[in-house]
Amino acid sequence: SAGFSADAREPSVRFAPLDLSEGTPVDRQECNVATDLAHHTCGDIGVQLDREHRQTSTIRAIFARGLHGSDLRDWLYGATNGTITTLVIVAGVIGADLPTMVAPVLGLANLFANGFTTAARRYANTKLARNNYDRSHAKPVWAEDVTAKDYDLSRCVRSPMQAALNTFAAFILCGLVPLIAYLLAPTKLSVCVVATACAFFTIGAVKSRYSLTAWWRSGLDTVFLGMGAAALAYAAGHTLRLLIDIPTP
């Protein structure tokens, strides 16, 4: 028919892919207008093909961002874990009303011990991914329409040691935020909460680079996750203090 190309596999009318280069969220109104246009031009087949085309474009856009941000993903992984685990320790100490120096001691011990463990886990996972890449010769598994020839997948294969170092550095740097805030105001939990919430929001906003979620929504999600963990730690510490009857310092 007139609305289709010679091979009858896709419409001759081309629909522009979504602009996701800057991490903008999907405009549902834009999608609906494009879908209506596809239906009017090519019928139900046109709608299906248009949706498949846009889905493939979305996958390509997200994957293209990841090609240039492999190190950033390691930093985000270490930063998230470091901030949460240290904040949990501080919140637990404050909830149990323990001496002021308990939080810095436990926090620093956690930074280096748990930081090393997290980095070692990242090293093992990255090494496994590299071995799988070598074994499978970069066979595409994320979508049938995104093939290995579309991207140089070797750029996604990172050095396991570099990934571990990035993770460890981010864990230490971001994990220091709750500790420094606590030391500056050991009697004011609000100072530690506000400082750490800002760190969480920044991490979440940067993390939106790898998703279709708006940067502010991703930031708030990370804040709620971290604060939820801190609230549980505070409640656990306070409950144990009541049950064990820990003397007030």
Side-chain angles (χ1 to χ4, degrees), residues 39 41-42 60 128 155 157 166 175 222 239:
H39 185 276
T41 305
C42 308
R60 292 177 189 272
L128 178 61
R155 289 185 293 171
V157 181
N166 290 337
T222 307
T239 302

Side-chain angles (χ1 to χ4, degrees), residues 15 18 27-41 47 50 54:
F15 303 98
L18 296 176
D27 189 338
R28 295 183 180 275
Q29 183 177 1
E30 177 187 350
C31 292
N32 292 336
V33 171
T35 302
D36 292 341
L37 177 61
H39 185 276
H40 176 74
T41 305
V47 172
D50 177 62
R54 290 181 176 276

Side-chain angles (χ1 to χ4, degrees), residues 7-249:
D7 58 6
R9 286 181 297 179
E10 60 180 70
S12 57
V13 178
R14 299 290 181 177
F15 303 98
L18 296 176
D19 181 15
L20 299 173
S21 57
E22 298 298 329
T24 55
V26 176
D27 189 338
R28 295 183 180 275
Q29 183 177 1
E30 177 187 350
C31 292
N32 292 336
V33 171
T35 302
D36 292 341
L37 177 61
H39 185 276
H40 176 74
T41 305
C42 308
D44 294 336
I45 298 179
V47 172
Q48 181 179 358
L49 290 173
D50 177 62
R51 287 176 178 172
E52 293 177 354
H53 172 69
R54 290 181 176 276
Q55 183 180 18
T56 303
S57 299
T58 301
I59 296 173
R60 292 177 189 272
I62 296 175
F63 187 68
R65 300 174 200 167
L67 288 174
H68 307 287
S70 296
D71 290 341
L72 183 59
R73 288 202 301 269
D74 297 329
W75 277 86
L76 291 174
Y77 178 74
T80 303
N81 283 275
T83 309
I84 288 181
T85 55
T86 309
L87 177 62
V88 163
I89 289 177
V90 173
V93 169
I94 295 177
D97 199 15
L98 297 175
T100 303
M101 290 307 298
V102 172
V105 171
L106 294 180
L108 288 175
N110 165 77
L111 277 180
F112 289 97
N114 203 1
F116 177 82
T117 303
T118 303
R121 188 183 308 117
R122 196 64 168 175
Y123 175 89
N125 291 340
T126 305
K127 187 174 183 179
L128 178 61
R130 189 182 186 93
N131 292 338
N132 290 337
Y133 170 84
D134 295 336
R135 186 181 303 109
S136 63
H137 302 291
K139 292 181 180 180
V141 294
W142 53 92
E144 294 180 358
D145 294 331
V146 181
T147 58
K149 62 182 177 60
D150 293 315
Y151 300 100
D152 179 12
L153 295 185
S154 61
R155 289 185 293 171
C156 295
V157 181
R158 297 157 292 154
S159 165
M161 183 58 67
Q162 184 65 40
L165 292 176
N166 290 337
T167 301
F168 183 76
F171 193 103
I172 297 296
L173 292 177
C174 293
L176 284 173
V177 173
L179 285 181
I180 294 176
Y182 173 78
L183 290 175
L184 292 177
T187 60
K188 295 182 178 179
L189 179 60
S190 59
V191 175
C192 181
V193 169
V194 171
T196 310
C198 292
F200 279 136
F201 187 84
T202 302
I203 295 171
V206 176
K207 193 184 299 182
S208 67
R209 175 182 173 86
Y210 301 104
S211 70
L212 297 180
T213 306
W215 63 270
W216 58 269
R217 185 182 297 275
S218 179
L220 291 178
D221 288 344
T222 307
V223 171
F224 291 146
L225 174 64
M227 292 305 156
L232 290 175
Y234 181 88
H238 186 70
T239 302
L240 288 175
R241 177 180 180 274
L242 296 177
L243 294 177
I244 304 177
D245 192 20
I246 302 175
T248 304

